Amino acid sequence: MNENHYSQAARYIQNKIGEAPEIGLILGSGLGVLADEIENAVKMPYEEIPGFPVSTVEGHAGQLVYGTLKGARVIAMQGRFHFYEGYDMQKVVFPVRVLQQIGIKTLIVTNAAGGINEQFQPGDLMLITDHINNMGTNPLIGPNEEQFGVRFPDLSQAYSRKLLELARETAAEIGVPVREGVYVANTGPVYETPAEIRMLRTWGGDAVGMSTVPEVVTARHAGLDVLGISCISNMAAGILDQPLSHDEVIETTEKVKSSFLSLVKETIAKIAKA
Ligand code: HPA
């Protein structure tokens, strides 16, 4: 991936939308409906954008949607690229760099995740306070792309304290209960074993998923402020005496859709005003 690839995609998007978005959104499994709420939407299927990978997993539509949401100019990824699909890390994070190039300052990342914390319940929303990269790789491996950021980026505040506070306040104001915790990223595509979940709990993990960390690392490298929200779609392996399935993940996200939508939209309204 070189500078040209990013700027080609960025130019294509800029020509379609004409103005710079402020906030980027990455919508996880079952959470893509948020993009349907965007007003005056300009939709750009991934296959039309030069250099963009094409997403394959069920529950992901695969397009960028630009428009306004609660008075803010936003651009949403309806469907993301997962490492387990076989994309290399450069492809997984390609869109984040393109969004940074077209001018976003804030990135809101969402995902469906398994609850490791036994206090959690399926359907809970969790503000991500920190993460553990258990993917065994990192999107910044390779020559440093100086135009984005430094060789050794600081992750001591990967998730913006200011955005966390805004999201917390918003949740309280609209009466949507939220949890907070540490997101662990595994590569997938298998769900974890019960022994792995016990290990991740001793590490300090509260939720586990197969995404988000590569995008957040890349966003922080490029100086974006990040807010992360997990929808706890199931309890992680071994907590309940039942197998895990993607259908359960989609069913739960379907159920919490309205509180998830309100939380993200009202938080965006606050960010736009801040
Ligand atoms: N593990 C990993 N990824 C997930 C899970 C899980 O339990 N639920 C949703 N995504």
Side-chain angles (χ1 to χ4, degrees):
M1 227 42 75
N2 64 36
E3 218 163 325
N4 249 343
H5 289 104
Y6 304 115
S7 53
Q8 255 185 14
R11 252 201 317 278
Y12 176 90
I13 297 164
Q14 277 160 338
N15 285 336
K16 289 264 180 187
I17 68 180
E19 50 194 349
E22 304 152 275
I23 301 174
L25 282 157
I26 302 182
L27 304 174
S29 299
L31 303 171
V33 285
L34 182 56
D36 301 336
E37 310 262 320
I38 295 174
E39 292 159 30
N40 301 313
V42 179
K43 298 181 176 175
M44 293 156 274
Y46 293 154
E47 60 266 25
E48 290 177 9
I49 308 172
F52 251 63
V54 177
S55 68
T56 58
V57 81
E58 216 181 306
H60 294 250
Q63 57 182 358
L64 281 182
V65 183
Y66 171 77
T68 54
L69 195 58
K70 289 281 168 180
R73 293 190 306 280
V74 304
I75 188 156
M77 286 182 68
Q78 203 172 24
R80 61 150 57 85
F81 304 105
H82 298 89
F83 191 54
Y84 65 72
E85 291 176 88
Y87 301 112
D88 61 35
M89 278 290 178
Q90 260 63 41
K91 284 273 181 198
V92 170
V93 302
F94 180 83
V96 174
R97 290 189 156 155
V98 172
L99 295 187
Q100 189 267 347
Q101 290 226 322
I102 63 174
I104 67 162
K105 302 288 180 236
T106 302
L107 182 67
I108 302 180
V109 288
T110 67
N111 58 55
I116 297 174
N117 185 322
E118 288 171 307
Q119 308 292 312
F120 290 3
Q121 283 177 3
D124 282 350
L125 298 177
M126 184 189 89
L127 304 177
I128 304 177
T129 55
D130 205 349
H131 74 223
I132 294 172
N133 178 1
N134 194 38
M135 288 182 146
T137 184
N138 191 290
L140 302 181
I141 290 174
N144 184 45
E145 307 215 34
E146 294 287 338
Q147 79 267 29
F148 292 108
V150 297
R151 172 73 290 189
F152 301 109
D154 170 47
L155 286 184
S156 55
Q157 234 189 88
Y159 299 83
S160 156
R161 283 189 202 150
K162 197 169 136 233
L163 292 176
L164 264 169
E165 186 52 35
L166 283 183
R168 233 179 247 137
E169 276 171 24
T170 306
E173 279 169 24
I174 64 176
V176 169
V178 283
R179 309 285 196 166
E180 294 191 16
V182 173
Y183 176 90
V184 183
N186 284 334
T187 62
V190 289
Y191 292 116
E192 298 70 27
T193 63
E196 285 165 346
I197 294 302
R198 288 193 298 275
M199 175 190 75
L200 297 179
R201 190 178 299 122
T202 68
W203 285 6
D206 295 292
V208 60
M210 307 174 190
S211 68
T212 302
V213 162
E215 293 112 313
V216 171
V217 165
T218 305
R220 292 302 297 142
H221 178 239
L224 302 179
D225 289 329
V226 176
L227 175 68
I229 305 175
S230 291
C231 165
I232 305 301
S233 54
N234 56 281
M235 293 314 290
I239 297 179
L240 305 175
D241 193 18
Q242 64 187 49
L244 273 49
S245 75
H246 187 60
D247 290 344
E248 182 191 2
V249 171
I250 297 299
E251 263 167 45
T252 311
T253 50
E254 187 68 28
K255 281 189 205 140
V256 294
K257 211 157 69 180
S258 75
S259 52
F260 170 79
L261 290 181
S262 318
L263 178 63
V264 176
K265 280 160 60 179
E266 298 306 326
T267 303
I268 287 174
K270 258 199 206 298
I271 296 171
K273 271 191 246 139

